[in-house]
Amino acid sequence: KSNFLIKKKVFVPTGTSELLIDACEKIIKTKKKILDLGCGSGVVGISIAKRLKTKQKIYFSDISKEACQNTKLNCDKMKINHVIKQGSLLSPWEGSIFDYIVSDVAAVAEDVSKISPWYKGCINNSGYDGTKHILNIIANVKGYLSKNGKFIFPIISLSNEKKILAECKKNFKKIKMIKNQIFPLPKSMTKKIKFLDSLKKKGVISFDKKFGIIVFKTTVYSLTK
């Protein structure tokens, strides 16, 4: 991450981004067409290209103009062969087919994101339970995948996991858990524990208390067409 330039108004990579990159390393093979969806600063796609030691084109898109410009800066800096398009979710890629689509599109309950340190200066309009964008992608992504193409994405327990997994089952036969990790809730958020507890009771989010620390979980899944 240290070599990456992160501009204002662009999402700063988190432990989830890191986990997603590690999971991708386990399953992505070279000479395959890769899309980094919701690319932010390009960290995920560029890291995959670096680890694969590939000169092939990597495809990127984001709804944010600043994010697309930031990705271009990083691709040029790190000599990554790239195609970058600006647009919402899968809309820039009508008619395109990929072997791997990796998504780090915002998927944390909106009210939780507002009290988190993760979305400073950038917008997360992922809906009350954090599922708005990801459900849309899961419902439509098959049309953008090659025959054995894979969609790789994280589910954070600070969103409605059950709802997201139900949509996965509705659209894909093969659902595989690749990696998961427990993260401590940022200290600034623990001050709002009453509010978080109320969302947990409603089934909007989930988290645990371990050794007096509040923790949430990120799980990376791969869905195969």
Side-chain angles (χ1 to χ4, degrees), residues 22 41 50 71 73 80 94 99 154 170 185 189 197:
D22 289 344
S41 58
K50 287 273 185 209
T71 293
L73 266 177
I80 300 293
E94 278 301 319
D99 298 304
K170 203 168 104 185
L185 199 71
M189 293 174 77
D197 270 331

Side-chain angles (χ1 to χ4, degrees), residues 35 37 61 87-95 98 101 136-144 151:
L35 168 61
L37 189 64
S61 64
S88 174
L89 308 181
L90 290 156
S91 64
W93 305 107
E94 278 301 319
F98 300 92
I101 296 178
N136 182 318
I137 295 168
I138 293 163
N140 294 292
V141 75
K142 265 203 303 209
Y144 298 81
F151 175 55

Side-chain angles (χ1 to χ4, degrees), residues 15 38 70 79 91 96-97 99 103 113 123 128 141-142 159 167 181 190-191 195 199 217:
N70 199 161
K79 298 181 172 53
S91 64
S96 299
I97 296 288
D99 298 304
S103 169
S113 76
I123 296 160
Y128 176 64
V141 75
K142 265 203 303 209
S159 67
E167 191 65 29
Q181 196 173 330
T190 58
K191 292 172 186 158
F195 167 66
L199 288 180
K217 189 175 73 179

Side-chain angles (χ1 to χ4, degrees), residues 40-168:
S41 58
V43 164
V44 174
I46 291 169
S47 300
I48 292 165
K50 287 273 185 209
R51 291 188 186 192
L52 290 174
K53 295 186 170 60
T54 180
K55 294 271 186 278
Q56 72 194 50
K57 261 189 194 137
I58 305 287
Y59 296 79
F60 299 87
S61 64
D62 201 290
I63 194 165
S64 148
K65 187 174 92 183
E66 288 86 0
C68 292
Q69 289 167 344
N70 199 161
T71 293
K72 182 161 176 33
L73 266 177
N74 282 321
C75 282
D76 290 344
K77 183 180 180 226
M78 298 189 212
K79 298 181 172 53
I80 300 293
N81 196 352
H82 60 274
V83 174
I84 302 166
K85 292 190 181 191
Q86 186 191 343
S88 174
L89 308 181
L90 290 156
S91 64
W93 305 107
E94 278 301 319
S96 299
I97 296 288
F98 300 92
D99 298 304
Y100 297 98
I101 296 178
V102 181
S103 169
D104 202 4
V105 169
V108 168
E110 218 167 293
D111 289 343
V112 175
S113 76
K114 284 174 190 157
I115 61 164
S116 83
W118 304 315
Y119 292 91
K120 285 202 166 69
C122 59
I123 296 160
N124 166 31
N125 59 346
S126 59
Y128 176 64
D129 61 0
T131 65
K132 189 170 98 183
H133 302 311
I134 195 63
L135 293 181
N136 182 318
I137 295 168
I138 293 163
N140 294 292
V141 75
K142 265 203 303 209
Y144 298 81
L145 287 171
S146 62
K147 193 174 166 225
N148 295 305
K150 287 179 170 33
F151 175 55
I152 306 160
F153 74 109
I155 300 182
I156 299 164
S157 69
L158 299 174
S159 67
N160 191 332
E161 275 181 287
K162 281 185 184 147
K163 200 166 162 184
I164 299 169
L165 283 170
E167 191 65 29
C168 292

